[in-house]
Amino acid sequence: MSDDGKDAGLVAMITSILGGNKRADVVTPPLTEAPPTAPTNGFEAIEPSSTDAEPAESEPAPEAVPAETKPVAPPPKIATTRDGKQLLPAEAIADLVLGELRKLENFPATGVSVTVYGYRHWNAMITFAPFSTTFRNATRFRQALPDLVFRLRRFVELEI
């Protein structure tokens, strides 16, 4: 087998593992000036569906005891600074940055990671997995990142 055949097979294998050239199907409008929303940590109220209330058997159960329902705990209050900025951990800020970047055209669905670092003037770094995007698009996303971080710093402060 020639070296070109080996290289093509290796590239095909890596592409299949990393998701290839799959792109996000949904194109959303560009960044807005609205403050970002903080992650909800999964504490959202869920309404029971009407199909869950029906019994599995056709015969009604005598003296059925209603299931105990617990009230849904409200999400924890988000800490804020004296300036009114939200105090969030680095992982939450990285999710916000990644969520805003996903609104850009041709942003890859997989193979991207955002790292938030610093303290008072936190910053973010974006890295791409091989074959997740083109060099031109990666450069465009890296150039958009400082502007996005500048906008988010007005609303979010890094929690230590």
Side-chain angles (χ1 to χ4, degrees):
M1 181 181 268
S2 69
D3 288 338
D4 292 335
K6 289 179 184 178
D7 290 343
L10 181 61
V11 168
M13 182 180 71
I14 292 172
T15 303
S16 67
I17 291 171
L18 295 177
N21 290 329
K22 295 180 183 175
R23 302 285 186 241
D25 294 335
V26 179
V27 177
T28 56
L31 300 174
T32 61
E33 288 295 321
T37 57
T40 61
N41 296 330
F43 290 112
E44 295 180 13
I46 300 174
E47 295 181 18
S49 64
S50 61
T51 57
D52 293 342
E54 298 177 31
E57 300 177 14
S58 60
E59 298 177 5
E63 299 180 30
V65 178
E68 293 183 28
T69 57
K70 290 184 180 180
V72 177
K77 297 227 177 195
I78 297 174
T80 57
T81 63
R82 285 181 260 143
D83 301 340
K85 296 179 181 179
Q86 296 178 354
L87 279 174
L88 295 175
E91 294 84 16
I93 296 175
D95 289 340
L96 283 174
V97 170
L98 192 57
E100 291 295 317
L101 285 171
R102 288 194 191 281
K103 295 178 182 178
L104 298 176
E105 184 180 351
N106 294 330
F107 194 80
T110 59
V112 180
S113 70
V114 173
T115 305
V116 173
Y117 60 93
Y119 177 59
R120 289 265 186 221
H121 299 286
W122 59 268
N123 207 349
M125 174 182 68
I126 187 170
T127 55
F128 298 95
F131 305 108
S132 63
T133 188
T134 63
F135 179 77
R136 179 176 289 154
N137 283 338
T139 302
R140 189 169 56 95
F141 301 139
R142 285 188 181 108
Q143 290 172 347
L145 187 63
D147 184 45
L148 174 64
V149 167
F150 178 76
R151 289 181 190 177
L152 284 176
R153 277 190 202 140
R154 294 188 304 181
F155 304 108
V156 178
E157 191 68 39
L158 181 62
E159 176 183 82
I160 300 293

mmCIF file of all heavy atoms in Angstrom, residues 13 17 31 66 69 87 97 119 124 145-146 158:
data_model
loop_
_atom_site.group_PDB
_atom_site.id
_atom_site.type_symbol
_atom_site.label_atom_id
_atom_site.label_comp_id
_atom_site.label_asym_id
_atom_site.label_seq_id
_atom_site.Cartn_x
_atom_site.Cartn_y
_atom_site.Cartn_z
ATOM 1 N N MET A 13 -10.427 8.109 8.590
ATOM 2 C CA MET A 13 -10.717 7.606 9.923
ATOM 3 C C MET A 13 -10.845 8.752 10.929
ATOM 4 O O MET A 13 -11.779 8.802 11.725
ATOM 5 C CB MET A 13 -9.617 6.643 10.384
ATOM 6 C CG MET A 13 -9.876 6.043 11.765
ATOM 7 S SD MET A 13 -8.596 4.923 12.309
ATOM 8 C CE MET A 13 -7.258 6.051 12.616
ATOM 9 N N ILE A 17 -14.228 9.967 13.063
ATOM 10 C CA ILE A 17 -14.219 10.024 14.524
ATOM 11 C C ILE A 17 -14.623 11.405 15.016
ATOM 12 O O ILE A 17 -15.429 11.552 15.925
ATOM 13 C CB ILE A 17 -12.829 9.649 15.083
ATOM 14 C CG1 ILE A 17 -12.552 8.170 14.843
ATOM 15 C CG2 ILE A 17 -12.724 9.984 16.559
ATOM 16 C CD1 ILE A 17 -11.145 7.741 15.162
ATOM 17 N N LEU A 31 -24.860 38.411 16.831
ATOM 18 C CA LEU A 31 -24.871 38.767 18.241
ATOM 19 C C LEU A 31 -25.745 39.986 18.498
ATOM 20 O O LEU A 31 -25.807 40.912 17.704
ATOM 21 C CB LEU A 31 -23.449 39.077 18.712
ATOM 22 C CG LEU A 31 -22.451 37.942 18.571
ATOM 23 C CD1 LEU A 31 -21.074 38.428 18.931
ATOM 24 C CD2 LEU A 31 -22.846 36.779 19.439
ATOM 25 N N PRO A 66 -53.565 9.270 45.203
ATOM 26 C CA PRO A 66 -52.795 10.139 44.304
ATOM 27 C C PRO A 66 -51.328 10.165 44.725
ATOM 28 O O PRO A 66 -51.002 10.110 45.909
ATOM 29 C CB PRO A 66 -53.445 11.516 44.470
ATOM 30 C CG PRO A 66 -54.147 11.463 45.791
ATOM 31 C CD PRO A 66 -54.531 10.021 45.997
ATOM 32 N N THR A 69 -46.855 14.802 45.274
ATOM 33 C CA THR A 69 -46.176 15.729 44.381
ATOM 34 C C THR A 69 -45.321 16.667 45.207
ATOM 35 O O THR A 69 -45.755 17.225 46.205
ATOM 36 C CB THR A 69 -47.182 16.568 43.574
ATOM 37 O OG1 THR A 69 -48.030 17.264 44.479
ATOM 38 C CG2 THR A 69 -48.016 15.674 42.669
ATOM 39 N N LEU A 87 -22.212 36.996 38.778
ATOM 40 C CA LEU A 87 -21.008 36.245 39.131
ATOM 41 C C LEU A 87 -21.216 34.806 38.696
ATOM 42 O O LEU A 87 -22.097 34.115 39.211
ATOM 43 C CB LEU A 87 -20.762 36.297 40.640
ATOM 44 C CG LEU A 87 -20.080 37.537 41.184
ATOM 45 C CD1 LEU A 87 -20.051 37.495 42.695
ATOM 46 C CD2 LEU A 87 -18.684 37.642 40.626
ATOM 47 N N VAL A 97 -20.095 31.967 26.102
ATOM 48 C CA VAL A 97 -19.280 32.364 24.958
ATOM 49 C C VAL A 97 -19.518 31.409 23.793
ATOM 50 O O VAL A 97 -19.736 31.833 22.655
ATOM 51 C CB VAL A 97 -17.783 32.407 25.342
ATOM 52 C CG1 VAL A 97 -16.911 32.584 24.116
ATOM 53 C CG2 VAL A 97 -17.521 33.511 26.341
ATOM 54 N N TYR A 119 -8.951 36.825 36.042
ATOM 55 C CA TYR A 119 -9.714 37.139 37.241
ATOM 56 C C TYR A 119 -10.540 38.388 36.994
ATOM 57 O O TYR A 119 -11.657 38.306 36.518
ATOM 58 C CB TYR A 119 -8.794 37.296 38.451
ATOM 59 C CG TYR A 119 -9.537 37.690 39.689
ATOM 60 C CD1 TYR A 119 -10.552 36.894 40.198
ATOM 61 C CD2 TYR A 119 -9.263 38.869 40.343
ATOM 62 C CE1 TYR A 119 -11.257 37.257 41.320
ATOM 63 C CE2 TYR A 119 -9.954 39.240 41.472
ATOM 64 C CZ TYR A 119 -10.954 38.429 41.955
ATOM 65 O OH TYR A 119 -11.644 38.800 43.070
ATOM 66 N N ALA A 124 -11.072 34.748 27.168
ATOM 67 C CA ALA A 124 -11.450 33.433 26.664
ATOM 68 C C ALA A 124 -10.535 33.053 25.506
ATOM 69 O O ALA A 124 -10.061 33.909 24.759
ATOM 70 C CB ALA A 124 -12.902 33.433 26.201
ATOM 71 N N LEU A 145 -13.973 36.619 18.626
ATOM 72 C CA LEU A 145 -13.955 36.318 20.053
ATOM 73 C C LEU A 145 -13.647 37.528 20.944
ATOM 74 O O LEU A 145 -14.351 37.737 21.933
ATOM 75 C CB LEU A 145 -12.983 35.170 20.341
ATOM 76 C CG LEU A 145 -12.990 34.637 21.760
ATOM 77 C CD1 LEU A 145 -14.353 34.029 22.094
ATOM 78 C CD2 LEU A 145 -11.902 33.594 21.935
ATOM 79 N N PRO A 146 -12.646 38.364 20.661
ATOM 80 C CA PRO A 146 -12.383 39.500 21.554
ATOM 81 C C PRO A 146 -13.570 40.464 21.670
ATOM 82 O O PRO A 146 -13.854 40.972 22.759
ATOM 83 C CB PRO A 146 -11.178 40.196 20.914
ATOM 84 C CG PRO A 146 -10.509 39.146 20.115
ATOM 85 C CD PRO A 146 -11.603 38.240 19.642
ATOM 86 N N LEU A 158 -16.270 36.964 36.517
ATOM 87 C CA LEU A 158 -15.784 35.615 36.817
ATOM 88 C C LEU A 158 -15.813 35.380 38.328
ATOM 89 O O LEU A 158 -15.305 36.193 39.104
ATOM 90 C CB LEU A 158 -14.368 35.415 36.286
ATOM 91 C CG LEU A 158 -13.740 34.053 36.497
ATOM 92 C CD1 LEU A 158 -14.546 32.974 35.771
ATOM 93 C CD2 LEU A 158 -12.314 34.055 35.971
#
